Amino acid sequence: MQTNNNIYPAGLYSFQDECLSLLTGVLNVSKAVTYLVDNQRKPICYKTWQLQPAMHRQYMDTFYRVDPLHPTQFVEQTDATVVKMNDLVNSQERYNHPYYRDFISPWGVQDIVEIFLRVDNKLIAGFSLFTSKQQPEMRSEDIRKARQLHQFMQFSLEQSLDAPKHSHFKSFCEQFQLTPKERMVVELVRQGLSNKTIAANLDCSLATVKTHLQHIFCKTGVNSKAEITSQLYNQH
Amino acid sequence: MQTNNNIYPAGLYSFQDECLSLLTGVLNVSKAVTYLVDNQRKPICYKTWQLQPAMHRQYMDTFYRVDPLHPTQFVEQTDATVVKMNDLVNSQERYNHPYYRDFISPWGVQDIVEIFLRVDNKLIAGFSLFTSKQQPEMRSEDIRKARQLHQFMQFSLEQSLDAPKHSHFKSFCEQFQLTPKERMVVELVRQGLSNKTIAANLDCSLATVKTHLQHIFCKTGVNSKAEITSQLYNQH
DNA sequence: CAGGGTATCAACCAGAAGGTTGATAAAGGA
DNA sequence: TCCTTTATCAACCTTCTGGTTGATACCCTG
């Protein structure tokens, strides 16, 4: 079942179960499915909740090819976390699209919300939540809750996988548009050096280091060197 | 030889933040507060959400003594996870109880839901969720969702306690034989907090924090809080 | 019961860090 | 060319941190 060089930590499978239970328990959905994503961005390890086996089989045989929410559709958009189908595709397109006309609609589905989990910007798991035509339409309030749940699942995942966070430094610097010299200061601050030592490292005066720090504090909204460090390790 | 079951693993504090965000984001509450629980079952490390500082102060000064949802009330009931105040105490008792009459009611609170997290049957964290008198009453549906959220938080907690991430923190603390309190200080230092904030979190004086730090510096050979942080992340 | 370990707090001091103002100078784009 | 950005430095002040000393109190163990 598992492909070659794709090793998932044992906990990921139960994590998947727990997430599915959480999402279906808290959000008002009629059926749901979850999967992991392999190196080739192919969904594997499906787990379903109140989803007809025949429907799943039909998807696996045919309709995955035209699924607008398929993981391969979100290769570039690494920021796509919670995607609502009816927002992604307008009603006109839906009417003509084989995925809706021949698959989604006949199974009584009104809308689908897709939730993606990533590690290091790499998609590793997804959840499809279905609402039926009998249910009230998904409101922005529900999407907000879904995003909230996503945030916690993502946090939980990073905690348990001990996800590498080396990209934080870069994203931190870019996010606040720090200048090259300021970035150097940030890196030396991260190492726990005193201002005097930083000045020695950069071959400038203590006053200059303090000015750089002042600019960094101002740009980032942080109040101390210690906070910079904790920011670099705790994204949130 | 002292009881070491009071170790707060690295990340527990941000875990607390995330849980608070999750609960207040998904459930319909007006204010909330979370705390960790120490060996003596005393709540520490409070974090509030939309809760008036004056109300919190009033609780800390006086009313914690008569709080029917106080962690010490649930010593035996290791299965108590989600407790609704109005279920626990009937309306007759509520009317005469000083906690309701003089504290809860004047602050416009209708009901409180308490959520407990345990590790090895030992209570380690709690969340108090408040609904206001303006809100509709908590239904069993909401409690069911709260239980669902609890289940996931509990799962996530157990997962992250086993995560390799904690090995640095743990080995650092064990290597230098830091006491439970000192470990807490180390963790709060890691978060980049000032001594004053650490004191507030541990509910002790600034002087005590400085003493703990002095002992930590002495034991570890480190010279500053900033160095502690870099030690925790740079150990290989 | 004495003693070690832990936790608590106060007072004091020197030095580091944070915050502000102001100034100079090189580099690069409008 | 002017103006902005970036990098540099000084002086001044407040607050925070680190380092020290000393003291009280509790718990557990010998």
Side-chain angles (χ1 to χ4, degrees):
Chain A
M1 185 149 301
Q2 189 145 325
T3 55
N4 36 24
N5 50 354
N6 237 309
I7 296 144
Y8 291 102
L12 193 50
Y13 301 96
S14 55
F15 178 77
Q16 213 189 347
D17 288 334
E18 289 292 333
C19 286
L20 189 64
S21 169
L22 175 71
L23 291 167
T24 57
V26 171
L27 299 174
N28 195 18
V29 299
S30 63
K31 30 184 169 268
V33 59
T34 172
Y35 48 85
L36 301 181
V37 182
D38 75 2
N39 278 340
Q40 286 72 48
R41 288 190 202 84
K42 192 178 148 218
I44 52 171
C45 298
Y46 281 95
K47 291 174 182 181
T48 63
W49 182 81
Q50 297 197 354
L51 188 131
Q52 297 89 332
M55 180 177 171
H56 189 232
R57 223 174 303 118
Q58 215 179 324
Y59 177 86
M60 297 300 285
D61 290 344
T62 314
F63 289 101
Y64 74 92
R65 275 182 268 258
V66 288
D67 179 3
L69 292 175
H70 195 274
T72 50
Q73 301 294 315
F74 297 92
V75 175
E76 303 300 329
Q77 296 147 271
T78 53
D79 56 336
T81 55
V82 178
V83 182
K84 189 165 169 286
M85 186 184 71
N86 288 358
D87 287 348
L88 195 70
V89 188
N90 68 48
S91 57
Q92 186 61 38
E93 285 180 286
R94 276 204 298 273
Y95 195 76
N96 297 314
H97 200 294
Y99 190 71
Y100 303 82
R101 198 187 50 213
D102 305 333
F103 179 60
I104 288 302
S105 194
W107 282 103
V109 170
Q110 180 190 174
D111 202 353
I112 305 176
V113 169
E114 197 78 11
I115 299 181
F116 297 114
L117 293 179
R118 290 190 169 78
V119 173
D120 255 0
N121 276 336
K122 194 171 147 289
L123 191 63
I124 66 143
F127 304 86
S128 305
L129 310 175
F130 300 79
T131 55
S132 77
K133 288 172 178 170
Q134 281 77 49
Q135 288 178 297
E137 187 135 20
M138 278 268 177
R139 292 162 305 155
S140 64
E141 174 66 9
D142 299 310
I143 298 299
R144 195 189 55 73
K145 285 187 185 178
R147 286 190 198 282
Q148 192 73 57
L149 291 166
H150 168 269
Q151 182 189 317
F152 193 85
M153 294 190 303
Q154 186 71 47
F155 168 80
S156 177
L157 178 66
E158 282 167 16
Q159 287 287 304
S160 54
L161 287 188
D162 191 15
K165 297 198 172 143
H166 52 264
S167 58
H168 280 195
F169 175 80
K170 214 176 149 192
S171 70
F172 178 85
C173 294
E174 277 166 8
Q175 182 185 350
F176 299 108
Q177 302 206 5
L178 301 187
T179 68
K181 231 13 179 311
E182 283 163 2
R183 290 173 196 221
M184 280 190 242
V185 172
V186 167
E187 172 52 28
L188 294 171
V189 165
R190 193 197 61 79
Q191 291 173 35
L193 304 184
S194 72
N195 290 350
K196 203 194 282 182
T197 317
I198 293 172
N201 267 280
L202 296 181
D203 194 29
C204 67
S205 82
L206 182 61
T208 306
V209 173
K210 289 168 103 177
T211 307
H212 283 312
L213 277 171
Q214 215 49 48
H215 291 161
I216 292 166
F217 293 153
C218 190
K219 282 182 179 175
T220 61
V222 151
N223 295 304
S224 71
K225 285 167 36 173
E227 252 184 82
I228 292 179
T229 312
S230 81
Q231 283 281 322
L232 288 177
Y233 291 108
N234 305 307
Q235 68 175 162
H236 289 306
Chain B
M1 75 171 159
Q2 231 335 42
T3 57
N4 306 9
N5 44 356
N6 203 16
I7 300 160
Y8 289 91
L12 187 51
Y13 303 86
S14 53
F15 178 77
Q16 212 190 347
D17 287 333
E18 287 294 331
C19 286
L20 189 63
S21 169
L22 175 72
L23 291 168
T24 57
V26 171
L27 299 174
N28 195 18
V29 299
S30 63
K31 28 182 169 271
V33 59
T34 172
Y35 48 85
L36 301 180
V37 182
D38 74 3
N39 273 341
Q40 286 73 45
R41 289 190 202 82
K42 191 177 150 218
I44 51 171
C45 296
Y46 281 96
K47 291 175 183 181
T48 62
W49 181 81
Q50 297 197 354
L51 189 130
Q52 298 89 332
M55 181 177 172
H56 188 234
R57 224 174 302 120
Q58 213 178 326
Y59 177 86
M60 298 299 286
D61 290 345
T62 314
F63 289 101
Y64 73 93
R65 276 181 267 258
V66 288
D67 180 3
L69 293 176
H70 195 275
T72 51
Q73 301 295 313
F74 297 91
V75 175
E76 304 301 330
Q77 298 147 269
T78 53
D79 57 334
T81 55
V82 178
V83 182
K84 189 165 168 287
M85 184 183 73
N86 289 356
D87 289 349
L88 195 70
V89 188
N90 68 48
S91 56
Q92 185 60 38
E93 283 180 287
R94 274 204 299 273
Y95 195 75
N96 297 313
H97 201 294
Y99 190 71
Y100 303 83
R101 197 188 50 212
D102 304 333
F103 179 60
I104 288 301
S105 193
W107 283 101
V109 170
Q110 180 192 172
D111 202 354
I112 305 176
V113 168
E114 198 78 11
I115 300 181
F116 297 114
L117 293 180
R118 290 191 170 78
V119 174
D120 289 337
N121 273 337
K122 194 173 147 290
L123 189 63
I124 66 143
F127 303 86
S128 305
L129 309 174
F130 300 79
T131 55
S132 76
K133 289 172 178 171
Q134 281 78 48
Q135 287 178 300
E137 187 134 21
M138 278 266 177
R139 292 162 304 155
S140 63
E141 174 66 9
D142 299 311
I143 298 299
R144 194 190 55 73
K145 286 188 185 177
R147 286 189 198 284
Q148 191 73 58
L149 291 166
H150 168 269
Q151 182 190 317
F152 193 84
M153 293 191 303
Q154 186 70 47
F155 167 80
S156 176
L157 176 64
E158 282 160 17
Q159 287 287 303
S160 58
L161 288 185
D162 294 333
K165 170 185 283 183
H166 296 133
S167 57
H168 278 178
F169 176 81
K170 218 174 151 186
S171 70
F172 179 85
C173 293
E174 278 167 6
Q175 181 185 351
F176 299 110
Q177 302 207 4
L178 301 187
T179 69
K181 235 3 179 318
E182 285 162 1
R183 292 174 195 218
M184 282 192 242
V185 172
V186 166
E187 171 52 24
L188 294 169
V189 165
R190 191 197 61 82
Q191 288 176 51
L193 304 184
S194 72
N195 290 349
K196 202 194 282 182
T197 315
I198 293 173
N201 267 284
L202 296 182
D203 193 31
C204 68
S205 81
L206 183 60
T208 307
V209 173
K210 291 169 96 176
T211 307
H212 284 311
L213 276 171
Q214 217 47 52
H215 292 160
I216 293 165
F217 293 152
C218 188
K219 282 182 180 176
T220 62
V222 151
N223 294 305
S224 72
K225 285 167 36 171
E227 254 184 80
I228 291 179
T229 311
S230 78
Q231 282 281 319
L232 286 177
Y233 290 109
N234 292 331
Q235 232 171 31
H236 296 300

